Every structure is written in C-alpha cells, then in structure tokens.
Amino acid sequence: MSTEQPRVSGLEVRSIDYVPLRERHGKLWHLGPLWFMSNAQIATLAVGLISITSGGNLIWSLISIVLGTALGTFFMAFHSAQGPQLGLPQMIQSRPQFGYVGALLVWLFAYVQYAGFNVFNTILAGQAMSRTAHGGVKWWVAGVTVLALVVALVGYDVIHRAEQVLTYVFLAVFGVFTVGVLVTLHYPAGSFDLGGFKWTPFLAQFGVVAGYQISWAIYVSDYSRYLPPGVTVRRTFYWTYFGSALGGAWLMVLGSLLAAWAGKDFDTIASIDAAGDKVFDGFGAVVLIFSALGLVSVTALNMYGGSLTLISAADSIRKIRPTVSARLLTLALTAVLSLAGALAATSHFLENFNNFLLLVLYLFIPWTAVNLMDYYVVRRGHYAIAEIFKPHGIYGRWGWRGITAYLVGFGAMVPFFSVGTLFTGPAAKALDGADISLFIGLPVSGLLYWWLARTIDVAAETELAEAEAASLEPAETG
C-alpha cells in the first residue's frame, strides 16, 4: 500500500493509497483557485435557474443563491481538512463508517455523479465550441473528452496548475462579462421587488444550491491529500470554503440574471453569446471559448475522481495494487463511458438535467452527515489508516452503523423530495412543493450515527493507529 514507487514520465503514481510524508508538497493557497475554478464554469449556471423558472423573482433568487452557497459550502469545506491529515482520497475514507464492502453503496452513487456531470459538461463544451469555431458538436465533445483525459492522467499537480492559470484568465474575461450583464441587460418589471417573495421557488433554489455545494464533498480530499499534515484545519477550511463559495455563487448569480433577462428564450450557450455581444461585438465568442476550457478542467476533475472511485470499488471486491496501469485503465473506462453518454444524450436529457442534479444531490446529503460526524465528533481525526486497506481489518466488511444512519436519513428525506414532475413527496405537497429535505437528512443521519457510534472503542482504535503509523512510511534508503 505504501511502497515507494518511482514516477513514470511525469505521471502521478499514486491513486487510492496513502501518500507518505516524504511526498507531501504544495501550498495551502493552491486550494483557493482550484475550488474557485472548479465551480466557476458555465455548467454551474444551470443551478441558478430554479427559482426563475419556477416563478420566483430575481432579487429573491439571488438571495437564496447566496444563502444556499454559504450553507452548502460549509459542509463541503470541512471535508477538505481530512486530506492532509489522512493522506487519502475522499471516498476511500468512507470505509471506517460503511465498511470495507459496505462503502460500495456510496461509491456507486459517487460514480453516477461523476459520469452524469461529465455528460453535461462535455455537451456544453461541444456546443460552445461548435457555435464559435464551428464543426459538429459531437466532434468537439470527443476532443474535449480526450483533452480532459490527458490532464487527468498526468494527475494532481497539473490539475492544480491548470486551475490556477484558468482562475486568472477567468477573473479578466468573466469580470468584464459580469459588468456587461449588470449594465447592458434589462430585466422584467418587479425583478428587484422584495415584496415579490414566494416560499416555493425560494426554498427550491436554496435547496438545490446548498445540495450542489455539498455534492463537491466527494472530491475535496482528493486535491488536498498531498499537502503536509502540519497545515491547520482552519486555514484548509478557509481556502476551500471561500474559493468554492465565490466561484459557485458568481456563476449561479449569472445564471439567474441571464434567465431573468432571456425569459422563455433562455438557452445557456445562445444567451451567453448574446449577452457577451452586448459588451462588444464578438465578445460572446471569447466568453464561450474560455468557458469550454473551464469545462475541460472540471471534466478532468470528474475523470480523476471517477478513476479513484473505480479503483476503490475494485479493491473492495478483490485486492488490487494501485499502480499507474490501474489509473490508466480506470481513467480510460471513465472517459469512454462519459463520451458514450454524451454522444447518446438527447435534448430531453439536457432539459431534465436539473432533475438529475436533484436526485444525485439527495444521495450525498446523508453521506456527508455521517462522514463529518465520524471524523470530527466520533473519532476526531484518529484513524488506523493501514486498517482501511485490510478486508478484515478493525473497520469490518460492513459498517452497520454508517449504513443504518445513511438509509434512515435518506428515508426520512423522501417525503420532503420535490423533483419537478418526477416525484413530489407528501410533506413537500403540503408545503406547496417546497423542498426542505436537506434540513431533514443532515440532522437525522448525523445524529443517528453519533448515537449508534457510542459503542465504538475509539481509544483502542487510536492506540492501534499510533502503533501502525510507522509502517505507513517507506524505509529510508541510502
């Protein structure tokens, strides 16, 4: 698991295995631009449309976006601090709560999220490039997928560097674009009337924004696990929180503004192009081309996370060595599945993306509650890392406490679900379609897990973790 491995042609060598202290590197501020740019891409625009398209006015849509971002990012950012302390990617950390095999439950859901978002991301990028540089959308989709695969294959360091460069360019391009949207576009009467408040679209917007930010929780330790363990939880939280919150809120607000301006004629690519050209002729194309690059970067993040998830899942079924070959194989498989989904997708898929978004986000609300409760309250960051990779280790094959808390929390949310025309639970119907499931799933799963975990012998686990710590580090050679 922790055997020293040489770098191969600059490619990242490690995947789900522990990152030894001698390989820790990077600076804490790198998390800021990474999470800013991961969120600051035009797929995030879709998250800001819910209130406007369901009858809310603009000002309350913007308020719900800001509040939802503030809450959802809070949970997501706390996961980031787990990376430097444990030296592990995010989803493998589910084994102490769900078990060596039981964690497959959440890994399946995680992989569905990675694949679903990549289908949407690559289609948007293909449409953006087709509109500006011409050529068939499907050819551009294939090109974006291949480029993202290369970035993901090189791995952790190049992803961080790419997001830093893109952040600087984004601030220039989207800074001008945002000013143009605020100054040149005209909005319907009553858009900024605080008296036009409606509970249902407000809560729908708030819930999907908060859930969207929480959905990043399955990524965060993947991109902080190479940092030295000496970085503080507080500073790791701050860099992740403000990077992700600013990037997400910026694009969601833009989405809401564009939807209010365009009305029933709103189309992500066409509306961005038209709004950009109001700044100066041809600027819409500049915005779209840069947006396509941003979508390449977030597609690479999804491939990278999908690869780690597949390796974790395979390792739970049959012990495997996390080699470069395993990375390449799982990345290629993830890219192929993403490409196949994008090429087969229809306009019907795109129209129902918000429903997909809601369904996927529901799946991770109870997971984040269980994972954070375990890390910060129950075990307080003390894990026997070597045991995480043992099929019959102290964490067991099935973590009944985590699985029970997850299923009960998810079940408690179901009556409060409101997924467009697909499903509206009885509690949501009583609230005129307002979705408050987030506020049910988080406390139910978190508190139930805390109650069930009272029987865990944390002291014995901590003692074992300290005893095994030295074995994680490669022996010095010289």
Side-chain angles (χ1 to χ4, degrees), residues 189-207:
S191 291
F192 297 97
D193 179 11
L194 289 172
F197 178 78
K198 297 179 182 178
W199 267 112
T200 300
F202 179 86
L203 287 176
Q205 184 67 78
F206 180 92

Side-chain angles (χ1 to χ4, degrees), residues 226-244:
Y226 280 88
L227 289 171
V231 298
T232 65
V233 170
R234 179 179 299 178
R235 294 185 65 215
T236 306
F237 173 89
Y238 285 155
W239 278 110
T240 303
Y241 184 93
F242 288 108
S244 181

Side-chain angles (χ1 to χ4, degrees), residues 123-412:
I123 290 174
L124 274 182
Q127 290 176 341
M129 292 306 299
S130 179
R131 188 177 181 93
T132 55
H134 307 296
V137 172
K138 291 184 177 181
W139 285 108
W140 283 112
V141 167
V144 166
T145 302
V146 171
L147 183 56
L149 173 61
V150 172
V151 173
L153 178 60
V154 179
Y156 181 95
D157 289 328
V158 75
I159 290 174
H160 270 275
R161 284 195 291 269
E163 298 291 51
Q164 290 165 29
V165 172
L166 288 172
T167 294
Y168 300 134
V169 182
F170 176 93
L171 293 174
V173 173
F174 270 79
V176 173
F177 179 66
T178 303
V179 171
V181 167
L182 293 172
V183 173
T184 65
L185 303 187
H186 300 286
Y187 304 100
S191 291
F192 297 97
D193 179 11
L194 289 172
F197 178 78
K198 297 179 182 178
W199 267 112
T200 300
F202 179 86
L203 287 176
Q205 184 67 78
F206 180 92
V208 77
V209 169
Y212 182 79
Q213 291 301 101
I214 288 175
S215 75
W216 286 105
I218 68 172
Y219 298 70
V220 281
S221 283
D222 297 354
Y223 299 100
S224 62
R225 74 190 197 275
Y226 280 88
L227 289 171
V231 298
T232 65
V233 170
R234 179 179 299 178
R235 294 185 65 215
T236 306
F237 173 89
Y238 285 155
W239 278 110
T240 303
Y241 184 93
F242 288 108
S244 181
L246 290 173
W250 188 336
L251 268 293
M252 294 175 206
V253 164
L254 272 179
S256 194
L257 291 169
L258 289 172
W261 163 67
K264 294 181 179 179
D265 296 327
F266 176 80
D267 173 84
T268 302
I269 302 301
S271 296
I272 290 174
D273 195 14
D277 283 349
K278 286 185 175 292
V279 178
F280 61 82
D281 192 39
F283 185 59
V286 173
V287 175
L288 287 176
I289 291 173
F290 175 75
S291 297
L293 291 176
L295 289 166
V296 169
S297 72
V298 77
T299 299
L301 258 76
N302 284 323
M303 288 184 184
Y304 187 89
S307 167
L308 295 176
T309 300
L310 277 183
I311 295 173
S312 299
D315 185 68
S316 291
I317 298 170
R318 181 178 180 181
K319 194 71 177 174
I320 64 171
R321 292 185 62 224
T323 61
V324 174
S325 297
R327 284 193 67 237
L328 177 59
L329 178 62
T330 52
L331 279 170
L333 179 58
T334 303
V336 168
L337 291 174
S338 169
L339 179 59
L343 296 179
T346 64
S347 59
H348 185 66
F349 168 82
L350 297 178
E351 291 168 2
N352 286 285
F353 177 69
N354 285 332
N355 290 338
F356 164 80
L357 184 64
L358 278 171
L359 290 171
V360 171
L361 301 183
Y362 288 148
L363 296 171
F364 284 100
I365 288 171
W367 170 81
T368 198
V370 169
N371 185 266
L372 291 178
M373 181 64 74
D374 187 63
Y375 186 87
Y376 287 101
V377 179
V378 176
R379 290 185 166 101
R380 300 187 180 184
H382 299 296
Y383 291 86
I385 294 173
E387 298 297 310
I388 291 175
F389 294 91
K390 294 179 180 179
H392 300 284
I394 62 170
Y395 299 119
R397 295 179 65 78
W398 299 93
W400 65 268
R401 299 176 183 86
I403 294 172
T404 300
Y406 179 96
L407 293 177
V408 171
F410 186 84

Side-chain angles (χ1 to χ4, degrees), residues 52-107:
I52 297 296
T53 57
S54 57
N57 75 349
L58 181 56
I59 185 63
W60 283 110
S61 176
L62 301 182
I63 292 172
S64 63
I65 286 171
V66 172
L67 294 177
T69 301
L71 177 67
T73 314
F74 178 85
F75 295 96
M76 169 264 192
F78 269 118
H79 287 282
S80 188
Q82 297 170 340
Q85 302 307 313
L86 301 181
L88 298 173
Q90 191 68 64
M91 296 312 292
I92 201 74
Q93 297 174 28
S94 295
R95 281 179 175 171
Q97 302 99 51
F98 296 90
Y100 192 87
V101 176
L104 284 170
L105 170 72
V106 289
W107 292 341

